[in-house]
Amino acid sequence: MVTKADLLKFLKEEAERPMMDMDLFHYFELEPHESGEFYNMLSELEDNGDIIKTKKNKVAVPLKMDIYVGKIQTTQKGFGFLIAENNVMDDVFIPAGALAGAMNGDRVFVKIVNRSGAGRKNEGEVIKIIKRANEKIVGTFEANESFGFVVPDDKHINKDIYIKREGINGAKTGQKVVVTLTEWPEERRNPVGYISEVLGFPNEKGVDILSVIRKYQLPETFPKKVHREAEGVEQFPSPEEIGARRDLRAQRLFTIDGADAKDLDDAVSIEGLPNGNFQLGVHIADVSYYVKERSALDKEAFDRGTSVYLIDRVIPMLPRELSNGICSLNPHVDRLTMSCTMEIDQQGAVVSHDIFESVIHSTERLIYEDVSDMLEAIERTDLEHLEYLREDFMQMEILCKILRNKRERRGAIDFDFPEPKIILDETGKPIEIAKRERRIANRIIEEFMLAANETVAEHMFWLEIPFVYRVHEDPDLEKIATFNKFLNNLGYTIKGITEEVHPKAIQQLLSEVKGKKEEGVVNRLMLRSLKQARYSSVKDGHFGLAAEYYSHFTSPIRRYPDLQIHRIIRDCLQHKLTESRLQQLIPIVEAAAKQSSERERVAEQAERETDDMKKAEYMSGFVGDSFEGIISSVTSFGLFVELENTCEGLTRIGELEDDYYIYDELSMSYVGQHTRKTYSIGDKVVVRVERVHVLNREVDFKILNKIED
């Protein structure tokens, strides 16, 4: 029987034109009894977007027909864009009339109808919807006499959903609800659905975050079968398994995490060697020992892809029996681990390494603040019991700086964006927002995890084994050139751009703006000019880290790619990588990379939306109050200002009443027609909080005056 890979290879490389499915059947000389399996395979490939059938029912590869697969991103104005998969092309503009009923997030086939010209994007039309993304939609219910409608929370969905009388199910005007769609939109018809869940009024405790959970379809509970498997996992390693591993229980090692962390993925150890080098140990929870391939636990972890952190709760990838129990590297108990030990010289080079199955007994469960306080010589009597670890901490700090210097020499980029720390009271209301500190202990763990991730990726690459890599492709030169024009207005430039840009050039720019008023803005716009990191079965390097080899090895409790590569490493260590197993792994790692990248994006969006919502709610208590801030973005409709606490608000251009202001897109600034007064990115201003719309996560500022340096 022909495989999917064989069929796709033929269609991509050998087929000179689209072919009838029967012709393909005969080409591969299949037997009659294989017809059912063959046609099922064609259907699966079509459902997945790997092939497309023409109007004459002929089979082809989409790209050969100038057809692209991707997800639709719609706008409030009705038109949309195709975000093509695998970065095969830039976004494609889709007019409202060419969406063919596609909604935001739908996976579709798009045919190019107009190629891009000067200053214009490629234009396309949706020819088929592969998979719907919006079977359930969260929104606000509005009742009418004989029907109702729901206004979606997702502003990308620009049509309200019609609800028949019998589908209202007790919902009241103003309540947050979940709608299950029964009819998809058409050009002149709204979607239709029924209310499947009433979440409550927006001001009721927990409804806001629950709305985000439902919007992104994040699973709050685990299926019964998954629970049964989790409850059946032994909470202590067996003597037989301990005896089969390298025993590190007598070695001094410990975890360093945030104070509220319960899923402890990684432990570290360090030793100074007689030759002046360091022996660094990174010991990672061996989740793959407990989560077997194709088990219910594994399938659920694959579907979730990652744990999601939403301020006051975690939606874990694995049940708590594993994530907080047997897999968590809690202190003073035996735990199974996958270890990567590295001998590192004074220049930061890993001169030798070893990867092996191990068992550990963590000495301490440490938190970042305590270790940082000890290293920064902040006197605290409550930390005296940790004095026996001070020498370890000091060696770790030295090694951290060596590794950081090595990364800086090769050009690694460090975007040091302030992360918000949002504190809620017992009712779920935000009572404080501050910048999350990134101190020396945080940096130590970051550097050690980076070193382990690189070492594991390179080790596995040279073994030529299917693997899941973390890749960050080189930036698009056109985007960098556009960004460079903006930089020229600020007196900066990215040097050495010809046919490629080196991360060292970006690093140099970020170094030049460090400490300047425009630092945050340049960092932000630079980040937008770069591509997003993703998972891949192909080693394509990591631009931001200036690393040729990179993977995610260090967090298998909360990231599926890490779990998957642990499984591959175990097979390798136990000599189970037969030829058939290697062939089996190829589609497995491709699926893991694709699914993990998609779920990571969903988690990021949900986390960002939750943060923005709580920031808006926090600022609603300060309407009428004034604050100092920095202009963080300039658009054609106004200026965004960011406060010290990371909250951001908009001053619409009509609010600038002392002059008529002209928008200069190139310099991203506003210039007064008569006064020549300017408002530019990075300017310090005093603003007053005018209005807050919590549900829309919008804060309106009025600029009172500009602070001159």
Side-chain angles (χ1 to χ4, degrees):
M1 180 64 191
V2 64
T3 66
K4 290 179 182 178
D6 292 335
L7 180 56
L8 287 174
K9 184 178 180 182
F10 169 74
L11 290 171
K12 288 176 183 176
E13 299 176 8
E14 298 180 46
E16 297 178 357
R17 60 188 181 280
M19 297 177 65
M20 297 294 293
D21 48 16
M22 182 59 71
D23 292 335
L24 285 169
F25 186 86
H26 291 310
Y27 174 83
F28 285 103
E29 299 178 352
L30 300 178
E31 299 295 331
H33 70 272
E34 296 177 305
S35 62
E37 187 178 350
F38 175 74
Y39 289 114
N40 285 338
M41 182 177 68
L42 284 180
S43 295
E44 289 174 7
L45 288 170
E46 187 178 13
D47 290 343
N48 195 48
D50 294 317
I51 63 173
I52 189 169
K53 287 191 175 179
T54 67
K55 291 178 180 178
K56 294 183 178 180
N57 214 32
K58 292 185 177 182
V59 176
V61 173
L63 280 178
K64 283 197 166 187
M65 304 284 291
D66 211 15
I67 293 170
Y68 295 84
V69 178
K71 288 190 175 179
I72 286 290
Q73 187 176 89
T74 53
T75 69
Q76 288 178 270
K77 294 182 179 179
F79 59 84
F81 296 93
L82 175 78
I83 313 302
E85 290 180 358
N86 301 321
N87 299 314
V88 294
M89 72 180 313
D90 290 338
D91 300 349
V92 180
F93 172 70
I94 314 291
L99 284 168
M103 298 174 69
N104 190 58
D106 288 350
R107 191 163 179 257
V108 298
F109 284 124
V110 165
K111 185 168 183 63
I112 303 299
V113 295
N114 282 314
R115 283 287 172 187
S116 59
R120 197 182 66 204
K121 284 183 175 290
N122 289 318
E123 185 177 323
E125 63 178 356
V126 175
I127 59 172
K128 184 179 179 182
I129 296 166
I130 302 170
K131 185 178 181 182
R132 291 284 188 177
N134 300 286
E135 293 178 1
K136 293 180 183 290
I137 293 175
V138 176
T140 304
F141 178 70
E142 298 289 339
N144 205 305
E145 288 184 7
S146 58
F147 65 92
F149 60 92
V150 171
V151 181
D153 283 359
D154 188 345
K155 298 307 173 188
H156 293 291
I157 301 174
N158 69 333
K159 289 185 176 181
D160 298 342
I161 301 149
Y162 177 77
I163 311 292
K164 298 176 183 177
R165 184 201 295 269
E166 60 269 24
I168 292 175
N169 291 334
K172 298 175 182 177
T173 293
Q175 285 186 321
K176 287 287 183 184
V177 298
V178 179
V179 180
T180 297
L181 295 187
T182 56
E183 296 179 39
W184 303 103
E186 294 179 1
E187 190 172 348
R188 291 183 177 84
R189 193 194 73 194
N190 283 29
V192 180
Y194 66 90
I195 294 176
S196 50
E197 184 179 7
V198 176
L199 303 179
F201 288 102
N203 59 353
E204 293 175 350
K205 180 182 177 182
V207 170
D208 50 3
I209 293 181
L210 185 59
S211 297
V212 175
I213 290 171
R214 292 292 187 271
K215 175 180 175 180
Y216 290 99
Q217 301 174 42
L218 303 175
E220 285 188 285
T221 59
F222 288 92
K224 289 181 181 178
K225 188 174 182 181
V226 175
H227 267 305
R228 284 197 299 270
E229 273 192 13
E231 289 166 358
V233 173
E234 291 290 335
Q235 287 298 306
F236 299 97
S238 69
E240 293 78 16
E241 184 59 31
I242 288 175
R245 292 169 175 255
R246 195 176 305 182
D247 194 338
L248 304 180
R249 288 178 294 176
Q251 188 171 333
R252 190 164 68 214
L253 44 79
F254 40 81
T255 61
I256 308 177
D257 286 276
D260 54 353
K262 295 181 176 63
D263 48 353
L264 311 181
D265 282 294
D266 54 271
V268 291
S269 58
I270 196 164
E271 179 186 354
L273 300 177
N275 62 0
N277 292 349
F278 297 89
Q279 183 77 8
L280 171 64
V282 174
H283 315 278
I284 307 301
D286 192 356
V287 181
S288 64
Y289 176 78
Y290 299 100
V291 180
K292 305 299 184 185
E293 189 170 84
R294 292 189 293 276
S295 65
L297 279 166
D298 182 45
K299 290 174 182 175
E300 183 70 13
F302 175 87
D303 288 343
R304 294 182 177 222
T306 181
S307 296
V308 187
Y309 297 84
L310 300 177
I311 302 180
D312 65 342
R313 71 196 75 185
V314 178
I315 299 175
M317 184 180 80
L318 296 169
R320 283 175 171 78
E321 290 91 342
L322 280 80
S323 61
N324 297 2
I326 185 60
C327 292
S328 184
L329 305 185
N330 300 326
H332 316 306
V333 291
D334 294 346
R335 286 291 185 260
L336 302 182
T337 45
M338 191 74 74
S339 292
C340 175
T341 58
M342 296 157 278
E343 182 181 346
I344 303 173
D345 67 19
Q346 291 290 327
Q347 284 70 49
V350 177
V351 296
S352 66
H353 69 274
D354 196 6
I355 301 168
F356 54 92
E357 296 171 285
S358 54
V359 56
I360 68 168
H361 192 94
S362 176
T363 310
E364 297 282 354
R365 186 265 197 258
L366 304 170
I367 65 175
Y368 292 124
E369 290 79 6
D370 293 347
V371 176
S372 294
D373 282 351
M374 289 185 70
L375 287 170
E376 293 166 9
I378 296 173
E379 290 190 20
R380 284 177 51 186
T381 56
D382 61 320
L383 298 181
E384 289 176 356
H385 68 289
L386 298 179
E387 278 298 323
Y388 78 103
L389 294 175
R390 183 179 289 275
E391 182 62 31
D392 285 2
F393 297 161
M394 292 174 68
Q395 287 200 55
M396 285 180 169
E397 182 177 16
I398 293 168
L399 179 56
C400 167
K401 290 176 179 176
I402 288 172
L403 290 170
R404 183 177 174 82
N405 288 338
K406 180 194 75 171
R407 288 199 305 112
E408 286 180 351
R409 286 195 305 272
R410 73 185 188 197
I413 305 166
D414 185 10
F415 289 105
D416 196 2
F417 291 114
E419 287 186 36
K421 184 177 183 180
I422 303 173
I423 308 214
L424 309 180
D425 66 13
E426 63 279 359
T427 68
K429 302 292 183 186
I431 55 175
E432 183 184 352
I433 297 178
K435 290 182 179 178
R436 195 178 295 275
E437 290 187 293
R438 189 178 171 213
R439 296 171 64 192
I440 181 59
N442 304 71
R443 294 183 183 277
I444 285 171
I445 296 303
E446 284 174 17
E447 291 297 338
F448 290 0
M449 298 306 113
L450 287 171
N453 285 335
E454 284 190 51
T455 300
V456 168
E458 182 172 6
H459 179 92
M460 299 305 289
F461 173 78
W462 288 112
L463 291 176
E464 298 182 346
I465 291 170
F467 206 61
V468 181
Y469 296 94
R470 181 69 169 174
V471 302
H472 185 211
E473 293 152 314
D474 290 354
D476 181 80
L477 283 178
E478 191 174 329
K479 288 185 177 180
I480 293 294
T482 301
F483 177 56
N484 224 0
K485 289 178 183 177
F486 163 71
L487 288 174
N488 291 336
N489 287 287
L490 298 179
Y492 301 101
T493 187
I494 302 174
K495 299 178 177 66
I497 300 178
T498 51
E499 294 183 358
E500 62 178 2
V501 58
H502 193 278
K504 260 188 179 300
I506 307 295
Q507 182 198 68
Q508 186 177 346
L509 167 68
L510 299 184
S511 177
E512 288 178 31
V513 300
K514 194 167 184 65
K516 308 282 180 60
K517 69 175 186 177
E518 58 268 20
E519 177 186 3
V521 176
V522 170
N523 281 354
R524 222 176 260 108
L525 291 177
M526 181 70 254
L527 187 61
R528 290 176 196 165
S529 300
L530 301 178
K531 293 181 179 177
Q532 284 187 302
R534 60 185 177 88
Y535 297 102
S536 173
S537 59
V538 179
K539 188 272 298 177
D540 274 340
H542 197 293
F543 180 85
L545 294 172
E548 188 174 355
Y549 312 93
Y550 198 65
S551 64
H552 274 171
F553 163 76
T554 54
S555 295
I557 293 178
R558 60 185 179 88
R559 291 189 307 226
Y560 191 80
D562 308 51
L563 169 58
Q564 181 58 60
I565 70 172
H566 274 230
R567 197 172 282 142
I568 295 170
I569 292 168
R570 165 172 287 103
D571 281 354
C572 181
L573 294 173
Q574 295 182 358
H575 308 292
K576 293 180 179 178
L577 290 177
T578 61
E579 186 58 38
S580 63
R581 176 59 176 163
L582 289 170
Q583 288 302 312
Q584 185 185 45
L585 281 175
I586 293 172
I588 287 175
V589 300
E590 288 176 351
K594 181 179 178 183
Q595 171 74 355
S596 300
S597 296
E598 290 178 358
R599 296 309 301 170
E600 178 184 44
R601 299 286 176 261
V602 171
E604 287 172 348
Q605 290 168 0
E607 290 165 1
R608 190 182 306 118
E609 188 165 317
T610 308
D611 284 358
D612 289 347
M613 185 169 56
K614 287 302 180 183
K615 286 180 180 181
E617 185 179 357
Y618 178 74
M619 292 306 297
S620 67
F622 297 96
V623 173
D625 291 352
S626 299
F627 298 89
E628 288 188 10
I630 292 179
I631 296 176
S632 55
S633 181
V634 178
T635 70
S636 59
F637 52 85
L639 306 103
F640 286 91
V641 176
E642 184 177 299
L643 307 185
E644 176 66 22
N645 63 9
T646 75
C647 292
E648 193 174 53
L650 171 66
T651 294
R652 300 179 193 282
I653 191 58
E655 298 284 339
L656 299 176
E657 298 173 344
D658 61 332
D659 200 348
Y660 292 109
Y661 284 85
I662 306 299
Y663 175 51
D664 184 342
E665 185 176 6
L666 189 60
S667 64
M668 297 185 72
S669 63
Y670 276 98
V671 182
Q673 273 187 310
H674 301 98
T675 62
R676 308 309 296 170
K677 185 176 180 180
T678 62
Y679 286 103
S680 304
I681 283 180
D683 285 348
K684 294 179 182 177
V685 292
V686 177
V687 297
R688 183 173 64 225
V689 183
E690 295 286 280
R691 292 168 296 277
V692 177
H693 196 304
V694 176
L695 294 181
N696 290 345
R697 305 177 302 282
E698 294 174 353
V699 180
D700 287 343
F701 289 156
K702 181 178 179 65
I703 294 179
L704 301 179
N705 61 276
K706 181 177 172 182
I707 302 172
E708 302 295 342
D709 291 333

